[in-house]
Amino acid sequence: GFLPLQGHVVRNWKVRWFVLLQDKLLYYKIEGGKKEPSPKGRILLDGCTITCPCLEYENRPLLIKLKTKTNTDYFLECCSREERDSWALDITGAIHAGHPVQVQELHRMKNSFKLLENISLHNIVERMYDSSTGIKLTRNLDQGNRYKETFTGSALVDWLISNSFAVSRFEAVTLASMLMDENFIRPVGVRSTEATRSSDPSEKFLDDSTALYMFAESSKKNTSSKEEVHFNISELSGTIVKQGFLVKQGHKRKNWKVRKFVLRADPAFLHYYDPTKEDNKPVGGFSLRGCLVSALEDNGVPAGVKGNVQGNLFKIITKNDIDYYIQASSKAERVQWIEAIKPLT
């Protein structure tokens, strides 16, 4: 699949097509909408160590770090927490494939539950407040309301694991629930607030990138009403239905670029981002109301499509008659995107 990779000489980010083999991770360039036949590089997994979650870059919270036995660092970025954890699990399995005892130990740790002895919630909160190594506070939107100095549920879980307060996500969720019960943090926004009403204690805190929380002592007067939020901001406040890397044809130069697509509902919008940029702002997007979406046949290049493309194309026509040509990585992924988009049109 597609993942942004940080360069070693120039520290910029380039999207590459990754293929995981039993003993190595290959990555390829995409030119003109097609994968080049020879790999651009390879990461040897023998003796490799993996760090996930990796929080070394503030603006890129979904990183995986691989350190080879020659001490070369590779940073890979994923689209979502679920995708990151899936890649990390598969890579970890490949690293330890020749060591079945280590694989069993990893699964035991993943499924076990044992909090650190004599753990101090006050110490955790003190570390969370640290300006350099603490949890990063950001502005977030929820149901059209804007909240300052918040963090998401999944960001807190990542931070707790990264700082060795928990081994598994289950442990981290339990710790976060304890922080909430002791009134160190509190939920803000609809999703996290509704979860606190659950009768199941394990579901009161959400390990989710759309559930918002803040320090309990933070000012409660930190929201702005829907009427005060600009339309361009409100369209980004919808619930994320699906996200992933796809290849899109440009409107002017007709060249093909890998973009991170985010599909939202209520309101229904499809936005796309340049994954090589640091600002995490969409470079384009459109309302899905009145759109038509359909798969394009793979036998031949349809009219309007330039370049020697891989295939797995689909087309979206907006209500203003603007055509978007998009490539998925497989037929199955194309079907998934079309099925996710159709109900929102």
Side-chain angles (χ1 to χ4, degrees):
F2 290 113
L3 295 173
L5 170 70
Q6 187 186 57
H8 284 105
V9 180
V10 180
R11 295 289 179 176
N12 57 353
W13 295 83
K14 298 287 187 182
V15 180
R16 298 289 183 244
W17 176 260
F18 280 82
V19 177
L20 177 61
L21 303 179
Q22 188 173 4
D23 60 344
K24 64 179 75 75
L25 189 60
L26 305 178
Y27 53 94
Y28 299 77
K29 284 183 68 175
I30 300 291
E31 286 292 338
K34 191 171 184 178
K35 176 175 72 70
E36 291 190 341
S38 300
K40 175 76 175 173
R42 67 194 68 213
I43 304 171
L44 298 178
L45 297 178
D46 180 40
C48 209
T49 58
I50 182 169
T51 303
C52 179
C54 172
L55 305 181
E56 293 191 22
Y57 290 86
E58 180 179 346
N59 293 332
R60 296 180 180 270
L62 298 172
L63 288 180
I64 296 171
K65 178 182 178 181
L66 295 175
K67 180 185 283 290
T68 67
K69 66 179 180 181
T70 58
N71 289 323
T72 304
D73 292 342
Y74 292 87
F75 292 93
L76 318 176
E77 186 180 31
C78 298
C79 254
S80 64
R81 178 176 55 80
E82 293 77 16
E83 184 190 45
R84 180 199 63 191
D85 292 349
S86 176
W87 269 105
L89 191 62
D90 289 341
I91 293 171
T92 302
I95 290 172
H96 298 291
H99 308 280
V101 174
Q102 291 186 22
V103 175
Q104 289 175 7
E105 178 65 14
L106 284 166
H107 282 288
R108 188 194 65 76
M109 288 175 60
K110 182 179 175 63
N111 298 319
S112 68
F113 173 63
K114 187 180 74 173
L115 286 174
L116 296 173
E117 293 182 7
N118 303 319
I119 196 162
S120 167
L121 296 182
H122 288 277
N123 180 42
I124 293 175
V125 174
E126 209 170 286
R127 290 274 299 276
M128 287 173 67
Y129 271 110
D130 190 282
S131 58
S132 58
T133 61
I135 193 161
K136 304 303 179 186
L137 303 179
T138 59
R139 295 187 178 191
N140 283 288
L141 288 163
D142 183 88
Q143 299 289 314
N145 291 323
R146 182 164 39 192
Y147 297 92
K148 301 175 183 176
E149 297 187 334
T150 60
F151 46 87
T152 67
S154 58
L156 178 54
V157 169
D158 284 350
W159 185 88
L160 289 169
I161 296 173
S162 179
N163 285 272
S164 302
F165 289 114
V167 173
S168 67
R169 302 195 78 82
F170 181 67
E171 287 184 23
V173 167
T174 304
L175 259 183
S177 299
M178 292 167 64
L179 290 171
M180 196 162 59
D181 288 342
E182 296 298 321
N183 203 34
F184 288 111
I185 64 173
R186 65 182 183 86
V188 290
V190 176
R191 285 216 64 203
S192 54
T193 303
E194 286 182 348
T196 60
R197 303 189 184 103
S198 172
S199 58
D200 187 342
S202 66
E203 296 178 359
K204 289 183 181 294
F205 181 88
L206 299 178
D207 178 8
D208 193 291
S209 60
T210 62
L212 301 181
Y213 299 88
M214 68 190 311
F215 289 114
E217 64 184 47
S218 298
S219 170
K220 297 189 179 185
K221 297 179 180 179
N222 62 354
T223 67
S224 57
S225 68
K226 292 182 181 181
E227 290 73 26
E228 294 173 345
V229 179
H230 193 268
F231 175 75
N232 287 340
I233 297 176
S234 67
E235 74 182 45
L236 294 170
S237 67
T239 303
I240 295 177
V241 175
K242 185 174 177 61
Q243 55 187 328
F245 294 111
L246 298 167
V247 189
K248 173 187 166 293
Q249 181 177 266
H251 287 292
K252 294 179 181 179
R253 296 176 60 188
K254 304 297 181 185
N255 55 348
W256 292 87
K257 297 284 187 181
V258 177
R259 294 290 181 247
K260 174 185 173 181
F261 279 79
V262 178
L263 176 63
R264 294 182 172 90
D266 300 322
F269 274 82
L270 185 63
H271 293 96
Y272 48 95
Y273 300 71
D274 185 344
T276 66
K277 304 297 184 186
E278 298 285 351
D279 56 14
N280 199 31
K281 294 179 181 177
V283 294
F286 50 91
S287 170
L288 290 172
R289 296 302 179 196
C291 284
L292 297 174
V293 57
S294 60
L296 298 177
E297 296 299 327
D298 291 335
N299 51 348
V301 179
V305 174
K306 304 293 183 183
N308 186 18
V309 298
Q310 289 281 107
N312 306 313
L313 285 163
F314 63 99
K315 179 180 180 181
I316 301 176
I317 306 174
T318 69
K319 64 180 180 181
N320 297 324
D321 290 328
I322 299 174
D323 295 349
Y324 289 85
Y325 294 99
I326 302 169
Q327 271 190 87
S329 60
S330 66
K331 283 185 170 65
E333 187 183 43
R334 176 173 65 180
V335 169
Q336 291 170 7
W337 273 99
I338 291 174
E339 289 181 350
I341 292 169
K342 274 187 176 179
L344 301 178
T345 60

